[in-house]
Amino acid sequence: GLDVTVSGTDTNYAALFDGGNVGIGTTAPTSALEITKAGTAKSNLDMLTLTNTVNAADMDGTETSILFNQWYYDGSSPAVETAARITAGTENDWTLSDSLTRDAYLAFSVSANGAAPDEAMRILPSGNVGIGCTGAGMDLTVSGDTHTFGSTPGYYLGDGQTSKDIIMKRTGTAAFSIQRYNGSYKDWISFEAA
């Protein structure tokens, strides 16, 4: 392989090209790109930084993305298609004078039937998550139908910490109940098959 080092710096910044793989901080990369560095316990270690250096007075909706491509099979002329994208974007016009303008969202887009990736989920600066929508007004907003499954699937409503105050769940093969917790779960409303 080809070793690249920078004189006078720590060896953690060395790069190794081995069999087509690139290793940074490792001499034995096992994937196309492998980055290795020791962090500190109970703290974050940023392993990769992507920076969009554009700046302007009008910059809401300015985005920086990671793009995922995939080749498709064709016996004579295979080609590449875009498969998915993870995007960080500005929600407002970011300014130096007002840090409150510097809100960002994280969006996840996927491709269907060869079309350009379409946004499927967005996390807003408030922490709200939207699935099928870009403006989640609550912790979780879903545009469309939802489906839960399992032996006793259900929706649990509560303080999010220790108790689940209300449960909506299937209680049998053809039964559904809404239960309320008061020391124990009791049926509040119960629906039985005819």
Side-chain angles (χ1 to χ4, degrees):
L2 172 65
D3 291 314
V4 179
T5 58
V6 180
S7 177
T9 63
D10 189 279
T11 55
N12 281 338
Y13 296 96
L16 174 77
F17 301 86
D18 183 21
N21 292 342
V22 178
I24 300 176
T26 176
T27 59
T30 58
S31 57
L33 173 62
E34 183 174 342
I35 304 172
T36 303
K37 186 175 182 180
T40 302
K42 297 189 177 185
S43 65
N44 177 63
L45 172 64
D46 290 326
M47 296 290 285
L48 181 66
T49 300
L50 305 177
T51 303
N52 185 343
T53 60
V54 69
N55 66 90
D58 182 13
M59 60 181 299
D60 58 297
T62 303
E63 298 179 334
T64 304
S65 298
I66 300 173
L67 184 65
F68 299 87
N69 289 335
Q70 174 63 54
W71 282 80
Y72 62 79
Y73 174 76
D74 185 296
S76 59
S77 56
V80 69
E81 283 277 6
T82 299
R85 177 183 287 118
I86 300 174
T87 300
T90 61
E91 195 163 77
N92 308 302
D93 296 327
W94 286 24
T95 64
L96 175 64
S97 60
D98 186 1
S99 63
L100 296 179
T101 66
R102 298 196 287 273
D103 290 341
Y105 57 83
L106 189 65
F108 299 83
S109 303
V110 292
S111 177
N113 302 318
D118 191 33
E119 186 172 317
M121 184 176 76
R122 179 178 293 206
I123 304 173
L124 297 177
S126 62
N128 291 356
V129 176
I131 298 176
C133 61
T134 58
M138 304 187 75
D139 289 352
L140 175 63
T141 301
V142 179
S143 176
D145 298 330
T146 62
H147 180 210
T148 62
F149 58 93
S151 57
T152 55
Y155 295 95
Y156 299 85
L157 311 175
D159 62 11
Q161 300 296 321
T162 57
S163 68
K164 301 177 181 70
D165 299 331
I166 298 175
I167 302 177
M168 296 179 287
K169 70 176 184 177
R170 190 180 73 189
T171 54
T173 57
F176 177 80
S177 71
I178 299 177
Q179 299 177 343
R180 186 173 185 273
Y181 186 81
N182 185 15
S184 63
Y185 290 109
K186 304 289 185 183
D187 279 353
W188 203 6
I189 303 174
S190 182
F191 302 90
E192 297 287 343

